[in-house]
């Protein structure tokens, strides 16, 4: 795939790009289907419950049955809803979630898009999903849905800022917004991975990323106790499935982005293990991040909305800014100190 990225656009190349897009969509849909299954099994294991075990061997077809049920379920639209916007909102939420995956490199040769501003592309596109969520809540003509949409906008904007600022240290160290370059910059073993010199940024990024996903303990926009189901309370059938699909596609995206930015991407943890294909290392790190997200959901309780906003503005944002200054000082003094001590 990477071999045709810099070639002139022809009909053959266009067909290859379209085929690759279809394959990637099928892979993501497969991931979403069984990520839900494994999440239920992992949480059941952690909480001493069984989880899905009836439909298919080991319950493997449970999520397939759930998806099929959503697809054939009656599609209802409230009589007083803004019909056009109500229909458009799930699409606006899902499409950016899928498009941002295009810039994530999976190995040295398996690259979808070699974009010089790949990181900026991810940040810009992922912010569009907020519009879809707010639009869905407003177009439903339901007070609970509107409150869920507004709460989601406040949360995602508040955590988008520390999320972006937390990766500026990596941009400063690498000198590039290209995710492929960032991954290549971490070659040479795990001590070259960005999570070590950027440990503050890494912690801020992970916390802000979980909040961006609207997952426990930050799933306030769809808190059942006070909002029934939040911004998608009036949605049913496949339109409701679009919102859930977008959430799990973002799990895929944020796990891939974390792996690339902080955990070396496809790089092996030790140089003597370089003979193992890079895609294997990427998938192992990716799976660890996804498991970590499931683990958090099984362990932590939902926090209050004032605690949520306070954490974003009073803790994560100052830490992200401190990380920039620490990185700048390290980049200025580090080479001088190394020359002084090792001359």
């Amino acid at each position: 795939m990477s071999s045709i990225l810099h070639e002139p656009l022809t009909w053959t190349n266009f067909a290859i790009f379209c085929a690759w897009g279809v394959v990637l969509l099928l892979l993501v849909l497969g991931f979403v289907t069984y990520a839900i299954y494994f999440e239920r099994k992992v949480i059941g294991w952690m909480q001493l419950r069984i989880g899905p075990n009836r439909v298919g061997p080991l319950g493997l077809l449970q999520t397939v049955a759930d998806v099929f049920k959503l697809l054939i379920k009656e599609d209802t639209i409230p009589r007083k809803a803004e019909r056009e916007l109500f229909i458009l909102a799930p699409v606006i939420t899902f499409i950016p979630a899928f498009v941002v995956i295009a810039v994530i490199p999976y190995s040295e040769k398996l690259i979808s898009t070699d974009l010089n501003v790949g990181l900026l592309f991810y940040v810009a596109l992922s912010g569009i999903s907020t519009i879809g969520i707010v639009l869905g809540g407003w177009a439903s003509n339901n007070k609970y849905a509107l409150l869920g949409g507004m709460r989601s906008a406040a949360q995602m904007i508040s955590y988008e800022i520390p999320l972006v600022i937390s990766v500026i240290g990596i941009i400063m160290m690498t000198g590039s917004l290209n995710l492929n370059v960032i991954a290549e910059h971490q070659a040479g073993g795990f001590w070259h991975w960005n999570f070590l010199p950027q440990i503050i940024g890494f912690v801020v990024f992970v916390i802000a990323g979980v909040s961006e996903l609207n997952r426990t303990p930050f799933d306030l926009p769809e808190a059942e106790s006070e909002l029934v189901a939040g911004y998608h309370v009036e949605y049913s059938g496949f339109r409701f499935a679009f919102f859930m699909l977008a959430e799990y596609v973002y799990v895929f995206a944020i796990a891939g982005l974390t792996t690339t930015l902080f955990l070396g991407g496809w790089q092996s943890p030790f140089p003597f293990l370089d003979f193992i294909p890079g895609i294997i290392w990427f998938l192992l790190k990716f799976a660890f991040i996804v498991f970590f997200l499931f683990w958090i959901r099984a362990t932590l309780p939902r926090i209050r909305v004032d605690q949520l906003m306070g954490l974003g503005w009073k803790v994560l944002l100052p830490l992200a800014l401190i990380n920039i200054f620490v990185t700048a000082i390290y980049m200025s003094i580090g080479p001088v100190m190394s020359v002084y001590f090792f001359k």
Side-chain angles (χ1 to χ4, degrees):
M1 189 67 193
S2 59
S3 62
I4 65 171
L5 287 175
H6 302 290
E7 294 181 7
L9 183 62
T10 62
W11 284 109
T12 302
N13 289 349
F14 178 74
I16 293 174
F17 280 123
C18 291
W20 173 243
V22 172
V23 169
L24 187 59
L25 177 61
L26 293 176
L27 288 174
V28 171
L29 292 178
F31 164 82
V32 169
T33 301
Y34 283 98
I36 298 173
Y37 167 80
F38 281 111
E39 180 171 19
R40 296 166 72 179
K41 293 296 281 188
V42 166
I43 293 177
W45 167 64
M46 290 182 174
Q47 298 177 346
L48 298 180
R49 296 185 287 106
I50 296 174
N53 68 335
R54 296 290 183 184
V55 185
L58 302 177
L60 285 170
L61 297 180
Q62 181 63 61
T63 308
V64 177
D66 293 340
V67 171
F68 181 69
K69 179 191 74 172
L70 287 173
L71 291 178
I72 65 173
K73 198 172 183 180
E74 181 183 3
D75 176 34
T76 60
I77 300 177
R79 186 161 50 95
K80 294 186 178 181
E82 293 286 343
R83 185 179 180 86
E84 292 78 12
L85 298 180
F86 186 88
I87 295 172
L88 187 62
V91 179
I92 295 177
T93 303
F94 169 72
I95 290 179
F98 178 69
V99 173
V100 296
I101 297 175
V103 296
I104 298 176
Y106 305 98
S107 71
E108 190 174 3
K109 295 182 179 180
L110 189 58
I111 299 170
S112 299
T113 305
D114 189 17
L115 197 62
N116 287 333
V117 289
L119 186 54
L120 185 62
F121 178 85
Y122 181 98
V123 172
L125 266 291
S126 62
I128 297 177
S129 293
T130 308
I131 301 175
I133 290 174
V134 175
L135 203 59
W138 181 81
S140 298
N141 195 24
N142 179 298
K143 298 299 187 295
Y144 292 109
L146 179 60
L147 286 172
M150 296 305 294
R151 184 182 284 185
S152 178
Q155 174 178 332
M156 297 182 77
I157 292 171
S158 299
Y159 280 81
E160 187 88 25
I161 296 171
L163 181 77
V164 174
I165 295 177
S166 66
V167 300
I168 291 180
I170 293 178
I171 298 171
M172 293 167 63
M173 293 175 59
T174 310
S176 175
L177 288 166
N178 189 319
L179 291 174
N180 308 319
V181 175
I182 292 174
E184 292 169 354
H185 190 262
Q186 301 173 74
F190 75 91
W191 52 91
H192 292 288
W193 295 356
N194 287 329
F195 83 95
L196 287 174
Q198 290 291 311
I199 187 64
I200 299 176
F202 177 62
V203 172
V204 172
F205 183 87
V206 169
I207 297 175
V210 174
S211 181
E212 281 286 293
L213 295 173
N214 286 337
R215 292 177 60 85
T216 307
F218 304 117
D219 57 337
L220 274 298
E222 48 190 82
E224 299 91 346
S225 58
E226 69 265 25
L227 293 179
V228 187
Y231 56 86
H232 51 56
V233 66
E234 295 288 358
Y235 282 88
S236 63
F238 72 96
R239 301 190 201 282
F240 173 81
F242 262 92
F243 281 116
M244 293 296 99
L245 183 63
E247 177 181 326
Y248 278 90
V249 172
Y250 269 124
V251 169
F252 182 101
I254 205 70
L257 189 65
T258 305
T259 300
T260 302
L261 291 176
F262 293 97
L263 301 181
W266 64 80
Q267 308 291 348
S268 63
F270 301 101
F272 65 85
L273 295 176
D274 285 343
F275 67 92
I276 299 177
I279 185 65
I280 301 297
W281 290 118
F282 183 92
L283 291 176
L284 288 174
K285 300 169 189 176
F286 175 89
F288 171 76
I289 296 296
V290 173
F291 174 79
F292 177 73
L293 294 173
F294 295 166
W295 184 7
I296 290 176
R297 182 171 184 177
T299 308
L300 299 178
R302 180 182 291 139
I303 65 175
R304 298 196 314 264
V305 66
D306 60 314
Q307 295 172 327
L308 170 77
M309 302 302 287
L311 177 65
W313 290 106
K314 297 178 182 179
V315 179
L316 297 185
L317 181 58
L319 283 177
L321 293 172
I322 289 172
N323 182 62
I324 295 177
F325 288 105
V326 171
T327 303
I329 293 171
Y330 169 78
M331 293 179 65
S332 301
I333 299 178
V336 177
M337 297 300 291
S338 62
V339 171
Y340 177 79
F341 284 108
F342 297 103
K343 65 179 179 180

